[in-house]
Amino acid sequence: MNRADLHTHTTASDGLHRPAENVRMAAEAGLAAIGITDHDTVAGLEEAREAAKAYGIEVVPGVEISTARDGQDIHILGFYADDRDPVFLERLASQRRVRDSRNELIVAKLNELGVSLTWEAVLDAAGRDRGPDETVGRPHIAEALHRMGAVESVQEAFDRYLAEGRPAYVLPPRIAPADAIAWIHEAGGAAVVAHPGLYGADAAVEALLRDGGADGVEAYHSDHTAEDEERYAAMARRFGAVATGGSDFHGARKGRVYHGPIGWRTAGAAVVTELKSRASHHRAKATGAASRDDGGTASD
Ligand code: AMP
Ligand code: ZN
Ligand code: FE
Ligand code: FE
Protein backbone atom coordinates (compact mmCIF):
# COMPACT_ATOMS: atom_id res chain seq x y z
CA MET A 1 0.00 0.00 0.00
CA ASN A 2 1.29 3.40 -1.00
CA ARG A 3 -1.54 5.76 -0.14
CA ALA A 4 -1.75 9.32 1.16
CA ASP A 5 -4.55 10.91 3.21
CA LEU A 6 -4.30 14.49 1.96
CA HIS A 7 -6.74 16.23 4.31
CA THR A 8 -6.50 16.15 8.12
CA HIS A 9 -6.94 18.68 10.93
CA THR A 10 -4.99 18.99 14.17
CA THR A 11 -5.09 21.04 17.38
CA ALA A 12 -3.56 23.88 15.34
CA SER A 13 -7.17 24.42 14.20
CA ASP A 14 -10.29 22.45 15.09
CA GLY A 15 -8.85 18.93 15.17
CA LEU A 16 -8.70 17.07 18.47
CA HIS A 17 -5.26 15.50 18.06
CA ARG A 18 -1.83 17.05 18.00
CA PRO A 19 0.00 17.04 14.65
CA ALA A 20 2.38 14.31 15.89
CA GLU A 21 -0.61 12.12 16.80
CA ASN A 22 -2.09 12.46 13.32
CA VAL A 23 1.25 11.38 11.90
CA ARG A 24 1.40 8.40 14.26
CA MET A 25 -2.14 7.34 13.37
CA ALA A 26 -1.35 7.64 9.66
CA ALA A 27 1.70 5.43 10.11
CA GLU A 28 -0.36 2.90 12.06
CA ALA A 29 -2.96 2.93 9.29
CA GLY A 30 -0.18 1.93 6.88
CA LEU A 31 -0.20 5.18 4.90
CA ALA A 32 2.89 6.38 3.05
CA ALA A 33 2.04 10.05 3.53
CA ILE A 34 -0.30 12.35 5.43
CA GLY A 35 -1.44 15.86 4.58
CA ILE A 36 -1.80 18.35 7.43
CA THR A 37 -4.38 20.91 6.29
CA ASP A 38 -5.47 23.10 9.16
CA HIS A 39 -7.91 25.98 8.70
CA ASP A 40 -6.06 29.23 7.90
CA THR A 41 -2.82 28.22 9.63
CA VAL A 42 0.40 26.31 9.06
CA ALA A 43 1.20 26.19 12.79
CA GLY A 44 1.00 22.38 12.94
CA LEU A 45 3.49 21.64 10.18
CA GLU A 46 6.73 21.78 12.11
CA GLU A 47 5.64 19.27 14.73
CA ALA A 48 4.22 17.01 12.02
CA ARG A 49 7.47 17.05 10.04
CA GLU A 50 9.46 16.25 13.16
CA ALA A 51 7.13 13.32 13.97
CA ALA A 52 7.27 12.07 10.39
CA LYS A 53 11.01 11.40 10.82
CA ALA A 54 10.31 9.15 13.79
CA TYR A 55 7.45 7.27 12.13
CA GLY A 56 9.07 6.93 8.73
CA ILE A 57 6.25 8.44 6.70
CA GLU A 58 6.03 11.58 4.60
CA VAL A 59 4.21 14.76 5.59
CA VAL A 60 2.52 16.68 2.81
CA PRO A 61 2.51 20.24 4.13
CA GLY A 62 -0.85 21.89 3.59
CA VAL A 63 -3.39 24.48 4.62
CA GLU A 64 -7.15 24.88 4.14
CA ILE A 65 -8.09 28.47 3.35
CA SER A 66 -11.62 29.76 4.00
CA THR A 67 -13.09 31.76 1.12
CA ALA A 68 -16.58 32.65 -0.07
CA ARG A 69 -18.37 32.89 -3.36
CA ASP A 70 -21.97 34.11 -3.68
CA GLY A 71 -22.43 34.02 0.08
CA GLN A 72 -21.24 30.44 0.41
CA ASP A 73 -18.17 29.04 2.20
CA ILE A 74 -15.68 27.53 -0.26
CA HIS A 75 -12.50 25.89 1.08
CA ILE A 76 -9.26 25.88 -0.90
CA LEU A 77 -6.49 23.44 -0.01
CA GLY A 78 -2.89 24.50 -0.55
CA PHE A 79 -0.09 21.91 -0.76
CA TYR A 80 3.67 22.53 -0.55
CA ALA A 81 3.32 26.32 -0.20
CA ASP A 82 6.36 27.82 1.53
CA ASP A 83 5.26 28.05 5.16
CA ARG A 84 8.10 30.46 5.93
CA ASP A 85 7.19 32.94 3.18
CA PRO A 86 6.47 36.18 5.12
CA VAL A 87 3.87 37.40 2.61
CA PHE A 88 1.98 34.12 2.78
CA LEU A 89 2.18 34.07 6.58
CA GLU A 90 0.80 37.60 6.82
CA ARG A 91 -2.03 36.63 4.47
CA LEU A 92 -2.92 33.71 6.71
CA ALA A 93 -2.72 36.03 9.74
CA SER A 94 -5.25 38.32 8.06
CA GLN A 95 -7.52 35.31 7.58
CA ARG A 96 -7.24 34.58 11.29
CA ARG A 97 -8.19 38.15 12.20
CA VAL A 98 -11.33 37.82 10.06
CA ARG A 99 -12.05 34.48 11.73
CA ASP A 100 -11.58 35.92 15.23
CA SER A 101 -14.03 38.73 14.63
CA ARG A 102 -16.47 36.31 13.01
CA ASN A 103 -16.24 34.10 16.09
CA GLU A 104 -17.05 37.07 18.31
CA LEU A 105 -20.08 37.88 16.13
CA ILE A 106 -21.27 34.29 16.46
CA VAL A 107 -21.03 34.50 20.25
CA ALA A 108 -22.90 37.84 20.16
CA LYS A 109 -25.66 36.30 18.04
CA LEU A 110 -25.96 33.38 20.43
CA ASN A 111 -26.24 35.84 23.32
CA GLU A 112 -29.02 37.68 21.45
CA LEU A 113 -30.75 34.34 21.07
CA GLY A 114 -30.66 33.96 24.83
CA VAL A 115 -27.75 31.51 24.97
CA SER A 116 -25.32 32.89 27.55
CA LEU A 117 -22.12 31.55 26.00
CA THR A 118 -18.93 33.46 26.78
CA TRP A 119 -15.77 33.76 24.71
CA GLU A 120 -13.81 32.32 27.67
CA ALA A 121 -15.96 29.17 27.50
CA VAL A 122 -15.13 28.85 23.79
CA LEU A 123 -11.41 29.18 24.53
CA ASP A 124 -11.77 26.58 27.27
CA ALA A 125 -13.40 24.20 24.83
CA ALA A 126 -10.60 24.86 22.35
CA GLY A 127 -7.93 24.16 25.00
CA ARG A 128 -6.10 26.95 26.77
CA ASP A 129 -2.60 26.05 25.59
CA ARG A 130 -3.28 27.39 22.08
CA GLY A 131 -0.50 29.19 20.28
CA PRO A 132 -1.08 32.60 18.72
CA ASP A 133 -1.12 31.12 15.20
CA GLU A 134 -3.66 28.43 16.04
CA THR A 135 -7.24 28.96 14.93
CA VAL A 136 -10.54 28.72 16.78
CA GLY A 137 -13.47 27.42 14.76
CA ARG A 138 -17.14 26.61 14.89
CA PRO A 139 -16.51 23.08 16.23
CA HIS A 140 -15.00 24.72 19.36
CA ILE A 141 -18.08 26.92 19.71
CA ALA A 142 -20.22 23.82 19.26
CA GLU A 143 -18.23 22.00 21.94
CA ALA A 144 -18.66 24.93 24.34
CA LEU A 145 -22.43 24.92 23.69
CA HIS A 146 -22.46 21.23 24.45
CA ARG A 147 -20.46 21.65 27.66
CA MET A 148 -22.83 24.32 28.97
CA GLY A 149 -25.77 22.03 28.27
CA ALA A 150 -27.35 24.26 25.63
CA VAL A 151 -27.37 21.32 23.18
CA GLU A 152 -27.10 17.57 23.55
CA SER A 153 -24.39 17.08 20.96
CA VAL A 154 -21.91 18.98 18.83
CA GLN A 155 -24.00 18.05 15.80
CA GLU A 156 -27.08 19.58 17.39
CA ALA A 157 -25.13 22.81 17.94
CA PHE A 158 -24.54 22.99 14.17
CA ASP A 159 -28.06 21.93 13.27
CA ARG A 160 -29.72 24.39 15.63
CA TYR A 161 -27.34 27.36 15.59
CA LEU A 162 -24.09 27.25 13.66
CA ALA A 163 -24.65 25.69 10.22
CA GLU A 164 -25.24 27.81 7.12
CA GLY A 165 -28.76 29.21 7.26
CA ARG A 166 -29.11 28.72 11.03
CA PRO A 167 -29.67 31.72 13.34
CA ALA A 168 -26.12 32.09 14.70
CA TYR A 169 -24.41 31.59 11.34
CA VAL A 170 -22.15 34.46 10.32
CA LEU A 171 -20.47 34.77 6.94
CA PRO A 172 -17.71 37.34 7.40
CA PRO A 173 -16.19 39.34 4.54
CA ARG A 174 -14.08 36.66 2.93
CA ILE A 175 -11.60 36.55 0.09
CA ALA A 176 -12.71 34.91 -3.16
CA PRO A 177 -11.58 31.36 -4.01
CA ALA A 178 -9.41 32.73 -6.84
CA ASP A 179 -7.59 34.97 -4.32
CA ALA A 180 -6.69 31.98 -2.14
CA ILE A 181 -5.50 30.13 -5.25
CA ALA A 182 -3.27 33.10 -6.16
CA TRP A 183 -1.88 33.31 -2.60
CA ILE A 184 -0.99 29.62 -2.68
CA HIS A 185 0.64 29.89 -6.10
CA GLU A 186 2.64 32.96 -5.07
CA ALA A 187 3.91 30.97 -2.08
CA GLY A 188 4.97 28.18 -4.43
CA GLY A 189 2.16 25.75 -3.66
CA ALA A 190 -0.49 23.79 -5.55
CA ALA A 191 -4.15 24.78 -5.03
CA VAL A 192 -7.03 22.31 -4.83
CA VAL A 193 -10.78 22.95 -4.44
CA ALA A 194 -11.75 21.13 -1.22
CA HIS A 195 -14.83 18.84 -0.91
CA PRO A 196 -16.70 20.19 -3.98
CA GLY A 197 -19.58 17.84 -3.24
CA LEU A 198 -20.58 20.00 -0.28
CA TYR A 199 -21.27 23.11 -2.35
CA GLY A 200 -23.92 22.10 -4.87
CA ALA A 201 -22.17 24.48 -7.27
CA ASP A 202 -20.42 22.35 -9.87
CA ALA A 203 -20.37 25.14 -12.46
CA ALA A 204 -18.41 27.32 -10.03
CA VAL A 205 -15.98 24.47 -9.29
CA GLU A 206 -15.47 23.97 -13.05
CA ALA A 207 -14.83 27.69 -13.45
CA LEU A 208 -12.09 27.51 -10.79
CA LEU A 209 -10.43 24.68 -12.72
CA ARG A 210 -10.91 26.35 -16.12
CA ASP A 211 -10.17 30.04 -15.39
CA GLY A 212 -9.39 30.29 -11.67
CA GLY A 213 -6.03 28.55 -11.87
CA ALA A 214 -6.87 25.69 -9.51
CA ASP A 215 -4.49 22.73 -9.90
CA GLY A 216 -6.94 20.15 -8.72
CA VAL A 217 -10.15 19.12 -7.07
CA GLU A 218 -10.65 16.95 -3.99
CA ALA A 219 -12.63 14.18 -5.66
CA TYR A 220 -12.35 11.71 -2.77
CA HIS A 221 -13.67 13.01 0.57
CA SER A 222 -15.43 11.40 3.53
CA ASP A 223 -18.64 13.37 2.90
CA HIS A 224 -18.80 12.53 -0.83
CA THR A 225 -21.04 9.87 -2.31
CA ALA A 226 -19.67 7.37 -4.82
CA GLU A 227 -21.37 9.40 -7.56
CA ASP A 228 -19.68 12.58 -6.31
CA GLU A 229 -16.32 10.84 -6.45
CA GLU A 230 -16.86 9.66 -10.02
CA ARG A 231 -18.18 13.01 -11.16
CA TYR A 232 -15.25 15.00 -9.74
CA ALA A 233 -12.65 12.48 -10.90
CA ALA A 234 -14.13 12.89 -14.41
CA MET A 235 -14.14 16.68 -13.99
CA ALA A 236 -10.44 16.57 -13.06
CA ARG A 237 -9.65 14.50 -16.15
CA ARG A 238 -11.63 16.90 -18.34
CA PHE A 239 -9.58 19.88 -17.17
CA GLY A 240 -6.23 18.09 -16.88
CA ALA A 241 -6.38 18.71 -13.13
CA VAL A 242 -5.28 16.56 -10.18
CA ALA A 243 -7.92 14.52 -8.33
CA THR A 244 -6.90 14.46 -4.67
CA GLY A 245 -8.40 12.58 -1.73
CA GLY A 246 -8.52 12.83 2.03
CA SER A 247 -10.56 11.99 5.10
CA ASP A 248 -10.89 15.52 6.56
CA PHE A 249 -10.17 13.83 9.89
CA HIS A 250 -10.93 16.06 12.89
CA GLY A 251 -10.68 13.45 15.66
CA ALA A 252 -13.46 11.71 17.56
CA ARG A 253 -15.84 13.09 20.17
CA LYS A 254 -17.62 10.49 22.28
CA GLY A 255 -16.77 7.79 19.77
CA ARG A 256 -18.12 9.73 16.80
CA VAL A 257 -15.44 10.55 14.23
CA TYR A 258 -16.20 13.74 12.35
CA HIS A 259 -15.96 13.41 8.57
CA GLY A 260 -13.84 10.23 8.71
CA PRO A 261 -10.93 8.45 10.39
CA ILE A 262 -7.41 8.88 9.06
CA GLY A 263 -7.06 6.89 5.86
CA TRP A 264 -10.82 6.78 5.19
CA ARG A 265 -10.24 8.53 1.86
CA THR A 266 -6.86 8.60 0.17
CA ALA A 267 -4.94 9.41 -2.99
CA GLY A 268 -2.24 7.37 -4.70
CA ALA A 269 1.47 8.15 -4.73
CA ALA A 270 1.21 9.57 -8.27
CA VAL A 271 -1.09 12.30 -6.95
CA VAL A 272 1.51 13.37 -4.39
CA THR A 273 4.17 13.44 -7.12
CA GLU A 274 1.90 15.52 -9.35
CA LEU A 275 1.17 18.02 -6.53
CA LYS A 276 4.91 18.37 -5.91
CA SER A 277 5.61 18.95 -9.55
CA ARG A 278 2.84 21.54 -9.90
CA ALA A 279 4.03 23.26 -6.73
CA SER A 280 7.59 23.48 -8.00
CA HIS A 281 6.29 24.94 -11.26
CA HIS A 282 4.43 27.65 -9.30
CA ARG A 283 7.47 28.19 -7.09
CA ALA A 284 9.71 28.70 -10.15
CA LYS A 285 7.24 31.22 -11.57
CA ALA A 286 6.92 33.04 -8.22
CA THR A 287 10.70 33.21 -7.75
CA GLY A 288 11.12 34.43 -11.32
CA ALA A 289 8.56 37.17 -10.74
CA ALA A 290 10.24 38.16 -7.46
CA SER A 291 13.69 38.43 -8.98
CA ARG A 292 12.31 40.55 -11.85
CA ASP A 293 10.74 42.82 -9.22
CA ASP A 294 14.17 43.12 -7.60
CA GLY A 295 15.56 44.23 -10.95
CA GLY A 296 17.29 40.88 -11.24
CA THR A 297 18.00 38.90 -14.41
CA ALA A 298 14.81 39.07 -16.36
CA SER A 299 14.97 38.36 -20.03
CA ASP A 300 18.44 37.38 -21.21
P1 AMP B 1 -15.12 27.18 10.58
O1 AMP B 1 -13.91 27.11 9.70
O2 AMP B 1 -14.81 27.76 11.92
O3 AMP B 1 -16.29 27.85 9.91
O4 AMP B 1 -15.55 25.67 10.89
C1 AMP B 1 -15.62 24.78 9.83
C2 AMP B 1 -15.67 23.36 10.36
O5 AMP B 1 -16.91 23.15 11.01
C3 AMP B 1 -15.59 22.33 9.25
O6 AMP B 1 -14.27 21.94 9.02
C4 AMP B 1 -16.42 21.18 9.79
O7 AMP B 1 -15.59 20.31 10.51
C5 AMP B 1 -17.37 21.82 10.76
N1 AMP B 1 -18.72 21.95 10.19
C6 AMP B 1 -19.14 22.85 9.27
N2 AMP B 1 -20.44 22.69 9.00
C7 AMP B 1 -20.86 21.66 9.77
C8 AMP B 1 -22.12 21.01 9.96
N3 AMP B 1 -23.23 21.40 9.28
N4 AMP B 1 -22.18 19.98 10.84
C9 AMP B 1 -21.07 19.60 11.52
N5 AMP B 1 -19.87 20.17 11.39
C10 AMP B 1 -19.76 21.18 10.52
ZN1 ZN C 1 -12.68 21.95 10.49
FE1 FE D 1 -13.33 22.20 4.72
FE1 FE E 1 -11.11 20.36 6.39
Side-chain angles (χ1 to χ4, degrees), residues 121-142:
V122 175
L123 283 183
D124 259 344
R128 281 211 173 275
D129 57 343
R130 308 188 70 68
D133 296 346
E134 297 178 335
T135 57
V136 174
R138 278 183 290 163
H140 298 129
I141 301 175

Side-chain angles (χ1 to χ4, degrees), residues 91-143:
R91 287 168 163 172
L92 293 180
S94 75
Q95 287 285 103
R96 294 193 292 272
R97 289 191 289 272
V98 169
R99 172 178 281 279
D100 287 346
S101 42
R102 180 211 60 171
N103 289 343
E104 283 173 25
L105 287 173
I106 292 177
V107 171
K109 277 205 171 185
L110 286 165
N111 293 164
E112 279 170 33
L113 292 163
V115 182
S116 56
L117 181 70
T118 63
W119 181 242
E120 284 65 40
V122 175
L123 283 183
D124 259 344
R128 281 211 173 275
D129 57 343
R130 308 188 70 68
D133 296 346
E134 297 178 335
T135 57
V136 174
R138 278 183 290 163
H140 298 129
I141 301 175
E143 172 75 25

Side-chain angles (χ1 to χ4, degrees), residues 9 14 39-40 64 66 73 75 99 102-103 136-139 154-155 158-159 162-164 169 174 195 248 250 258-259:
H9 293 268
D14 54 4
H39 298 286
D40 298 320
E64 181 172 21
S66 300
D73 278 311
H75 290 172
R99 172 178 281 279
R102 180 211 60 171
N103 289 343
V136 174
R138 278 183 290 163
V154 162
Q155 191 57 53
F158 274 96
D159 296 344
L162 302 174
E164 252 176 77
Y169 179 76
R174 288 213 191 276
H195 43 62
D248 210 353
H250 278 69
Y258 285 91
H259 303 293

